[in-house]
Amino acid sequence: MLVHLMLNLMVFFSNCICAAWAQQSAAGQDTLIGIVGSDFVMMGADSSSSGGGGIALTSSNIDKIAVIHDGKGLLNGDRMCHDPSAECLEQQAIAVGFAGDAADADRLVGMLKSHAQIREYEAGIGNDALCVFDGKIEPSTPTAVIGALSPAGLDAEAIANLSRNQIANRMRSRQPLQLCLLVGGMVRCNNPGRTLPEVEVVDRVQKQISAGSAEYKSESNNQPTNECQSPNLAINRSRSPNNSRSPALSRHDQKTSNPFLAPQLFWLDQYGSLQNMRYAAHGHGSNFAYSVLDQRYRKDMSRQEAMDLIQECFEQLRQRYVINSPRPPRIKCIDSFGVTNVMDDTMKH
Amino acid sequence: MRPLSILITIILSSLCQAQRSDPTQFNGGSTLAMAGRNSVAIAIDARFGLGMQTISTGESSDNSRAAGEGNPRILHLPNSNVLLAWAGLHGDGTSFAEEMNVLLARKVRRAGCMGFQHGSSSSSSVVGMVARSKMSPRAITSLMSHLLYGRRNAPYYVEPVVVGLETVRVPIFIENDSLPLEGNGLQSLIQASNAPQLISSQNEHTLSKQIMTYKTMQKPYLCGTDMLGAQSTSHSFVCSGVASRSLHGTAEALWVPNLEGEELVEVCGRAFVSALERDCLSGYGAVVYLIQGSEDGTEDDVQIIEYVLACRND
């Protein structure tokens, strides 16, 4: 009878353990930030690692944004998607920012890369075989042979759902994946004519902030200037024009974007949730980053504006986050041209 | 006795810890469903968070979807007379949605009831059979309970709610003094209606005949299940999610029977938004879906209308 009681208690115990783990995010000390712009996704990550929550920084040049697919064809670097009228059926670039357990991340990212490559191969991208039907040479792109309207390979949404399935299946096992991800890429959208609807919550927040600060400014005209009048924002605003314009960014800003491709950003956490968001962040630094992003995000930002916004988030972390990241963050831009390193270790802070 | 008391102490302490971080309440979210006379409404909110931190309020970067479709609450429309929604742990909710999708698709394909009408239902010549044109909400609830209890040892932390209009056969009595008891008239009446039964009640004072026949109508169906699949149906309302205590209160106070379409939406929306005023884990937008049956309760003309309400942003 006691054995039976203990068995029941063990089952109950395991349930309690399952309930008790829902406390902390797996991405503790890592910070990941992602922003969707007009025709790109910009992702930023801090570059330091402390071996999963220790007190000593073991490394300061970690690249936490893994490129699952660089978006270039196997044979030629030139893509067809720059032409706005082309229906983009080629594999687009996908990047995954990971935070949390480094071993789990490494394994999952390796698996995603293999899947992307297998699907690309199966779809015949980069295949230089010419198909001849009845003596007539068909156009050499494999998409003409496939003839379907479905995009080839895996896109960012597929990668995000694949990761979610892996995380959700492992969640109740002995070793759940302690991993938080941001997946970004260009996804082929079905009705290209639609414009992005207004970001409602961000608009409401910004209206409240401007209403509040307008009231505050009218009061402070009668009083001596208060030092608390948002000094951080003033500093950030003066600092961002000093960041040199990244040459990689201005090259792509003027291109007309392909209406068939839409930038998408997916947020995944270690409990198997998946959210499609305009801007997102992971880690303890996300508490600070969300505040800055809520205030400054606009839809259809240019690449320079998005980079400035991510810089501003990391600037805020440098001021207020207790964990110091000595090297500059890694910032990458994912668009229809591929993945561009906007800021990495070689650039000055 | 000693090991037992130690075990009980351990269990109690871990229970306290479990209550502090309940997985069902970790991501936030609430739903409320109400029934009217021939319509049902379900209200869902739009907050997704990690405990106290709000992560997403439903604006997705996908521009091929409508403005409200990034809603974090999981909502399913299997056919035109059922709506499923659930709150709870979002990862489990998505996994459960995938399982339900697979099983529903399989069952629907096998039963051949895709929701397309093949012939009119009154042409069924078998007594007692209503033509199966759609999967009923009761059947979907049973499937859902089965799936949820199948994971008894490692349950999905979801609290589903099923609303819909189910087809029931309601007996109606026709009093007609002028009907002849025998003859061709009666036979034609029997053939015209679905499975009639003749009940003749002979009164001492009058010779009135009552004919009982069946009429198929759509009645509202509401059911909420807990995370192990225990069903609780109701004629008035069901609710689930983090604000369910407040929702029970406001819905009980505001619900009256026999509400009509837009009235039902207003009552449901008001109860929902009032309860969310005091709850910080739900909010950021409320959407009410109304399944409006037709006036006389027949199966055609079922409409599903979406109403977007303004809600508290916290």
Side-chain angles (χ1 to χ4, degrees), chain B residues 29-49:
Chain B
S30 318
T31 62
L32 169 69
M34 271 195 189
R37 185 178 62 85
N38 60 348
S39 47
V40 284
I42 180 165
I44 54 177
D45 75 319
R47 181 187 176 271
F48 171 79

Side-chain angles (χ1 to χ4, degrees), chain A residues 114-128:
Chain A
S114 325
H115 272 275
Q117 284 175 356
I118 290 171
R119 288 292 297 269
E120 185 188 25
Y121 174 72
E122 284 174 350
I125 297 173
N127 190 351
D128 61 341

